[in-house]
Amino acid sequence: MCSLGFARSLGFALIPLATCCIVANILLFFPDGKMNFVKDEHVTTYVWYFMGIGGGGLVMLIPACVFLGMGKCADSCGTDSCAMCGSVFAALLGLAGSAYCFLISAVALFKGPYCFTQMGWRYPFENDGGRYLFAREKWSFCIQPAHIVEWNVTLLSILLGLSTLEFLLCFLQLVSGLVNAVCRPCCYKQEYSLNG
């Protein structure tokens, strides 16, 4: 199997994942689908870290474009080597972006949403240790925005899942690129046989 073609297919897979990360992060700015919460700065501080827009989104488009630009296997060893070396660096960048998205999303999910409670605007689950995720009866502590806990849990879980997939795809390309750099299966057009 040609590793350049494999990288290309990974590039095609990364584009919708990156797009979904961007959309999920943007939606976190508008709890309950309303703009007034972001205007009044009543959104969790972690959305301003742009984990989905930056880490899982725009940064991930760089390796996607590099992988797509690699094309089919070239005839010369130098072209393949350069392409695979570039893909290894792009994969490392993708690993960093997806890890950033995963870590910030996990911390935000663990801390819980910023919402209006009977004691004002605050993080009611901040010292809960993430137990609020399994105790739906506590979710009613958040009065405004409506359904903010469901909103955050859903979108942050989506970001966690997407960034995990992105990480795995970039890791696959990293391994493929390193193996290709050592073995260069596409460069050698020789027939290998067990007899010779």
Side-chain angles (χ1 to χ4, degrees), residues 11-191:
F12 279 118
L14 285 174
I15 290 175
L17 293 174
T19 305
C20 290
C21 280
I22 292 170
V23 170
N25 195 160
I26 290 172
L27 288 174
L28 282 169
F29 282 101
F30 307 106
D32 202 25
K34 297 179 182 168
M35 292 183 62
N36 60 321
F37 297 110
V38 73
K39 286 181 186 175
D40 299 334
E41 297 182 16
H42 293 303
V43 293
T44 180
T45 56
Y46 290 103
V47 299
W48 297 105
Y49 286 59
F50 300 109
M51 65 281 201
I53 295 171
L58 297 176
V59 169
M60 199 54 60
L61 290 176
I62 296 169
C65 291
V66 169
F67 299 164
L68 286 172
M70 292 173 64
K72 297 184 179 184
C73 292
D75 289 331
S76 88
C77 288
T79 305
D80 277 353
S81 296
C82 290
M84 291 316 292
C85 185
S87 79
V88 167
F89 289 120
L92 288 172
L93 181 65
L95 287 173
S98 60
Y100 175 77
C101 182
F102 183 89
L103 292 174
I104 299 298
S105 299
V107 170
L109 188 62
F110 190 74
K111 187 172 183 179
Y114 184 72
C115 62
F116 184 76
T117 65
Q118 292 178 349
M119 299 193 304
W121 286 96
R122 63 190 201 98
Y123 290 96
F125 311 115
E126 186 172 22
N127 299 320
D128 195 41
R131 289 187 298 273
Y132 80 95
L133 294 167
F134 305 104
R136 288 188 65 119
E137 63 276 0
K138 292 184 177 182
W139 294 7
S140 60
F141 292 169
C142 288
I143 300 168
Q144 280 187 2
H147 309 292
I148 185 62
V149 179
E150 294 93 333
W151 186 266
N152 274 20
V153 168
T154 301
L155 292 172
L156 291 170
S157 297
I158 288 170
L159 283 171
L160 285 171
L162 292 173
S163 60
T164 301
L165 288 174
E166 290 173 339
F167 188 90
L168 291 173
L169 292 177
C170 288
F171 183 75
L172 283 174
Q173 180 52 37
L174 176 69
V175 171
S176 174
L178 290 174
V179 167
N180 190 342
V182 173
C183 302
R184 292 186 271 180
C186 292
C187 292
Y188 294 109
K189 302 298 179 188
Q190 301 171 358
E191 289 289 326

